[in-house]
């Protein structure tokens, strides 16, 4: 698989040859980036292309997919005169994670592993299971013991095996990472594998296309592990370098006030996490990540694009969810975080696009 780009560790520069099953830096065991810097085509090149995220195939590290479920090209609808929402809950498995999961399954199908493993009790686990089913790949999803039965059913319906791990979400991730080192295993990590980020960057390409080759004043995204934000940053750099946008939007990250390690680091002016985040209860469980492995990259990207961090208290999440429902939009608690953060006008008169990333 020498045609695949190499991976590189953003922390220490270690290179990992493309086409291997390596999932982390062999030196620091941290997440990897792709040494891949495409030039997007202009709007005129898109008219006759497939109506899915694969229409941006010239900007993706994989082309000619075999496992697509038609993901992408989700609607952009107005919430107010300044704020629009991208309905990424209208994906095949009902969340934005399909953007990255299809890339992981496509990569795995080309590498031909004996097994695929993932760790997630929510949207990422369901998405990886679905796309592995599409690719006819055996899949095991590691989840914390005690995960709700309906979540397990959502994963198993695609034929995936479920491995319940005693302990919390971080214990589950450790167990999955240990299993990922077995020979012939592909670790479909939505955090460590950089192909996932190149899938999520299509979120911004779609906004750019739907707005006629421009972007709003601000992009506001929920951040736990930061995969949507980091994908957005990739797209912004590529579009700007290609001269396809002349103005970069500010990039704002939203966290639940209950679990906001990145927001605290930002407030302290730190380039990395300042201290461990207590894992308190929050309705926005999908972004309740106390130790995001790509923390330094997330903070750097928000700084690069002149944005900031917004935190949301629990009562505001509930109020925002009810408000969206009255507008005809039923989404999961995590997906309302961005609307909860901006609906009171904290960003003033700037034009804003935010994602509604998981169905209710």
């Amino acid at each position: 698989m020498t045609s695949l780009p190499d991976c590189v560790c953003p922390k220490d520069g270690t290179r990992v040859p493309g086409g291997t099953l390596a999932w982390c830096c062999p030196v620091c065991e941290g997440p990897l980036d792709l040494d891949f810097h495409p030039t997007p085509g202009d709007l005129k090149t898109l008219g006759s292309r497939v109506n899915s995220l694969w229409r941006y195939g010239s900007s993706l590290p994989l082309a000619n997919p075999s496992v697509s479920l038609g993901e992408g090209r989700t609607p952009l609808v107005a919430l107010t005169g300044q704020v629009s929402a991208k309905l990424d809950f209208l994906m095949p498995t009902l969340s934005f994670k399909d953007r990255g999961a299809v890339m992981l399954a496509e990569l795995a199908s080309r590498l031909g592993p004996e097994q695929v493993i993932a760790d997630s009790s929510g949207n990422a686990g369901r998405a990886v299971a679905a796309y592995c089913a599409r690719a006819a790949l055996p899949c095991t999803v590691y989840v914390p013991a005690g995960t709700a039965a309906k979540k397990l059913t959502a994963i198993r319906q695609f034929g995936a095996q479920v491995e319940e791990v005693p302990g919390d979400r971080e214990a589950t991730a450790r167990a999955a990472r240990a299993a990922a080192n077995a020979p012939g295993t592909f670790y479909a990590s939505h955090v460590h594998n950089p192909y996932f980020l190149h899938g999520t960057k299509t979120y911004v390409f779609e906004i750019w296309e739907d707005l006629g080759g421009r972007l709003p004043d601000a992009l506001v995204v929920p951040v736990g592990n930061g995969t949507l934000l980091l994908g957005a940053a990739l797209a912004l750099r590529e579009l700007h370098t290609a001269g396809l946008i002349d103005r970069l939007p500010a990039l704002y990250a939203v966290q639940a006030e209950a679990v906001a390690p990145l927001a605290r680091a930002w407030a302290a002016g730190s380039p990395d996490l300042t201290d461990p985040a207590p894992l308190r209860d929050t309705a926005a469980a999908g972004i309740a990540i106390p130790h995001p492995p790509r923390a330094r990259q997330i903070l750097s990207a928000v700084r690069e694009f002149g944005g900031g961090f917004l935190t949301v208290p629990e009562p505001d999440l509930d109020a925002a969810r009810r408000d969206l429902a009255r507008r005809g939009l039923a989404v999961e608690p995590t997906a309302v975080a961005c609307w909860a953060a901006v609906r009171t006008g904290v960003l003033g008169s700037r034009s804003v696009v935010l994602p509604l990333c998981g169905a209710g």
Side-chain angles (χ1 to χ4, degrees):
M1 303 296 292
T2 55
S3 62
L4 293 175
D6 287 350
C7 293
V8 61
C9 176
K11 183 177 180 180
D12 57 38
T14 300
R15 298 187 73 84
V16 176
T20 74
L21 292 173
W23 59 269
C24 68
C25 173
V27 177
C28 70
E29 298 187 349
L32 295 168
D33 288 343
L34 274 187
D35 188 5
F36 176 69
H37 310 282
T39 300
D42 61 26
L43 289 177
K44 297 190 296 292
T45 67
L46 298 174
S48 61
R49 295 188 185 180
V50 62
N51 193 36
S52 73
L53 65 78
W54 293 97
R55 69 197 281 105
Y56 313 107
S58 61
S59 296
L60 296 175
L62 301 170
N64 304 314
S66 61
V67 300
S68 175
L69 291 167
E71 56 287 330
R73 299 297 292 142
T74 54
L76 189 64
V77 301
L79 296 178
T80 71
Q82 285 77 42
V83 181
S84 294
K86 189 155 174 59
L87 309 190
D88 257 24
F89 65 90
L90 299 178
M91 286 279 200
T93 77
L94 308 181
S95 88
F96 88 95
K97 295 289 176 60
D98 288 6
R99 295 185 183 275
V102 68
M103 297 293 291
L104 297 184
E106 183 66 30
L107 176 61
S109 70
R110 300 182 188 199
L111 296 177
E114 296 173 15
Q115 63 173 337
V116 175
I117 66 169
D119 57 291
S120 166
S121 61
N123 293 334
R126 184 169 67 246
V128 169
Y131 283 95
C132 282
R134 184 68 169 175
L137 291 166
C139 177
T140 299
V141 180
Y142 285 66
V143 304
T147 295
K150 65 180 180 180
K151 291 187 176 183
L152 303 184
T153 299
I155 294 170
R156 287 178 172 136
Q157 67 182 332
F158 299 112
Q161 300 295 310
V162 172
E163 186 75 27
E164 296 192 58
V165 179
D168 60 13
R169 182 65 183 82
E170 292 201 356
T172 303
R174 286 194 297 271
R177 290 195 294 266
N181 291 321
T185 300
F186 179 91
Y187 184 25
S189 171
H190 59 288
V191 180
H192 283 78
N193 194 306
Y195 281 82
F196 196 95
L197 305 182
H198 282 269
T200 61
K201 76 182 180 184
T202 59
Y203 169 82
V204 169
F205 286 149
E206 291 177 17
I207 296 170
W208 167 76
E209 182 180 357
D210 287 346
L211 294 181
R214 61 182 181 85
L215 288 169
D217 298 326
L219 293 170
V220 179
V221 297
V223 170
N225 280 308
T227 54
L228 184 55
L229 183 140
L230 292 174
L234 283 174
L236 294 178
R237 295 185 193 108
E238 291 173 12
L239 289 168
H240 192 254
T241 298
L244 296 173
I245 52 173
D246 56 12
R247 178 184 54 81
L248 288 165
L251 195 54
Y252 282 87
V254 176
Q255 295 205 289
E257 195 174 85
V259 185
L262 292 159
R264 288 210 312 276
W266 177 264
S270 173
D272 208 339
L273 296 183
T274 52
D275 53 63
L279 189 57
R280 302 201 300 268
D281 287 339
T282 174
I287 52 173
I289 308 297
H291 304 103
R294 293 186 184 268
R296 181 176 286 270
Q297 287 179 284
I298 296 165
L299 291 160
S300 176
V302 173
R303 191 172 294 110
E304 176 186 354
F305 293 103
F309 278 79
L310 305 170
T311 58
V312 183
E314 293 303 299
D316 290 7
L317 290 169
D318 183 60
R321 191 180 190 192
R322 286 185 279 108
D323 179 71
L324 285 174
R326 287 193 293 268
R327 297 167 186 263
L329 298 165
V331 295
E332 67 181 7
T334 298
V336 308
C338 292
W339 178 233
V342 306
R343 74 189 188 104
T344 57
V346 66
L347 296 184
S349 61
R350 284 183 282 184
S351 59
V352 174
V353 172
L354 56 84
L356 298 180
C357 20

